[in-house]
Amino acid sequence: MERAWPLLRGCAEFCLDWLIEGPDGYLDTCPSTSPENWFLDAAGKPQALTLSATMDVMLIRAVFERTLALALASGRADPVVAEISAALPRLRPVPVFSGRVGEWAADLPEEDPAHRHMSHLVSVYPLGQIVAGTHLGDAAVAAMDRRGNGAMGWSWAWKMALRARLGDGETVRSLLSEASQAFTGDRHRDAPFDGSEWGGLLPNLFSTHPPFQIDGNYGFTAALAEVVVQSHTGVIDILPALPRGWTRGSARGLRCRGGLAVDVSWQEGEVSVLLRRLSGDASEFVPVSIGGEVTEVVVSDVVEVRGRVSC
């Protein structure tokens, strides 16, 4: 906590100084852009600068909430806590236009409606502010459907992680198939390709943009971990986005919130989960969901939970 507090406090102070009051009373970021995507102004010309791009507001919300949580956990009395508490409810809510999460605070037309970046969905992954099965979760799915699957490198990985968080294992599988196709450079001039013209894997398995994107490789593994286990809602959810046809598999040592590690194996719908306590309260109940059935267990050392899922 002694290392985290100065960093979080400094980030929160910067955000507080950046925010300005808008005409409707909400706090805005100004200037603001959404990474690499542009919108069209009234004259039809591409523009980047605006107020309160959705990514800005969601990141600031995450900073404020984490700073308050750390202050509470450590019993700190700090003037910045009162400032954050006053500002947090005045941040703009997630914008939804035509049933989709918006990229900007206003309903602005995108220059590239199929842009590969999903900046406005940072609230889904990794922040966990929007979850599956809610109104905003549905709006996030609609936003992803509009963008489509084609991508490159890390943006493929991000789309996979987003779809996994939203429980769409079939699209995760489709994206993984796109992202893992072989790329040689010449191939795209000689044969059709289902994904991006820049995408695929090099012969050494590096994810390419080009020249290559190591965060694509790291991101693929992070996204696949989201298929196997999620814990951002306070429940350890096992195989929440398992694609049909992945009837057997296993994963070891995946970390969950609350100081736990999880080993998972499944075959033909039968699931076995081993939970190990790494840190935290060894006496508290941990909810574990397998196929929608929730079991509460105490993990003082190692405990096994079994269940079934549909494959």
Side-chain angles (χ1 to χ4, degrees):
M1 289 189 181
E2 296 306 317
R3 295 178 61 187
W5 175 254
L7 178 62
L8 271 176
R9 189 186 192 283
C11 288
E13 286 185 308
F14 173 84
C15 293
L16 288 166
D17 287 345
W18 183 15
L19 292 166
I20 61 172
E21 184 173 354
D24 55 3
Y26 284 117
L27 297 177
D28 286 310
T29 57
C30 179
S32 180
T33 66
S34 193
E36 292 194 30
N37 203 10
W38 297 49
F39 60 89
L40 301 178
D41 64 15
K45 295 182 179 179
Q47 303 289 346
L49 290 179
T50 182
L51 299 174
S52 292
T54 302
M55 189 179 203
D56 284 355
V57 180
M58 297 303 100
L59 289 172
I60 291 173
R61 182 177 299 279
V63 168
F64 284 176
E65 289 175 346
R66 285 155 173 76
T67 305
L68 289 179
L70 185 56
L72 178 63
S74 59
R76 294 176 185 273
D78 190 299
V80 77
V81 171
E83 293 185 66
I84 294 171
S85 298
L88 188 56
R90 298 179 63 198
L91 294 177
R92 289 193 177 276
V94 177
V96 177
F97 306 114
S98 301
R100 300 185 296 268
V101 172
E103 191 160 1
W104 299 277
D107 189 6
L108 302 170
E110 303 144 302
E111 182 198 25
D112 179 9
H115 198 279
R116 68 188 184 280
H117 286 199
M118 304 301 299
S119 304
H120 50 315
L121 297 186
V122 69
S123 50
V124 177
Y125 180 91
L127 298 181
Q129 297 166 335
I130 294 177
V131 298
T134 63
H135 168 67
L136 286 177
D138 293 342
V141 171
M144 293 205 69
D145 288 345
R146 176 175 169 81
R147 288 293 171 89
N149 283 358
M152 62 183 75
W154 68 265
S155 54
W156 253 321
W158 197 0
K159 287 184 177 183
M160 288 167 58
L162 288 166
R163 290 289 186 176
R165 279 282 177 95
L166 295 168
D168 184 0
E170 297 310 308
T171 304
V172 174
R173 184 179 187 181
S174 176
L175 287 163
L176 180 62
S177 178
E178 287 182 14
S180 58
Q181 291 190 58
F183 175 80
T184 64
D186 292 333
R187 181 185 190 284
H188 301 305
R189 289 193 289 270
D190 301 331
F193 183 64
D194 292 335
S196 163
E197 62 179 305
W198 300 112
L201 295 179
L202 297 170
N204 64 356
L205 300 186
F206 277 174
S207 174
T208 186
H209 188 302
F212 82 95
Q213 288 194 329
I214 194 64
D215 43 348
N217 289 94
Y218 291 150
F220 297 152
T221 57
L224 289 176
E226 295 291 328
V227 169
V228 178
V229 60
Q230 298 176 18
S231 59
H232 58 286
T233 64
V235 175
I236 297 180
D237 198 355
I238 304 299
L239 301 177
L242 185 67
R244 292 187 301 273
W246 288 13
T247 59
R248 64 178 64 188
S250 64
R252 296 181 60 187
L254 297 179
R255 286 347 189 219
C256 294
R257 290 159 180 81
L260 299 171
V262 179
D263 299 343
V264 182
S265 62
W266 70 97
Q267 183 168 344
E268 306 300 336
E270 298 290 337
V271 182
S272 173
V273 181
L274 286 179
L275 295 138
R276 298 193 305 278
R277 171 66 60 184
L278 302 177
S279 63
D281 188 347
S283 64
E284 68 178 15
F285 282 93
V286 177
V288 181
S289 176
I290 304 176
E293 295 291 328
V294 178
T295 302
E296 290 197 340
V297 296
V298 174
V299 187
S300 57
D301 184 18
V302 180
V303 65
E304 182 180 19
V305 182
R306 291 183 175 271
R308 285 193 57 85
V309 295
S310 299
C311 294

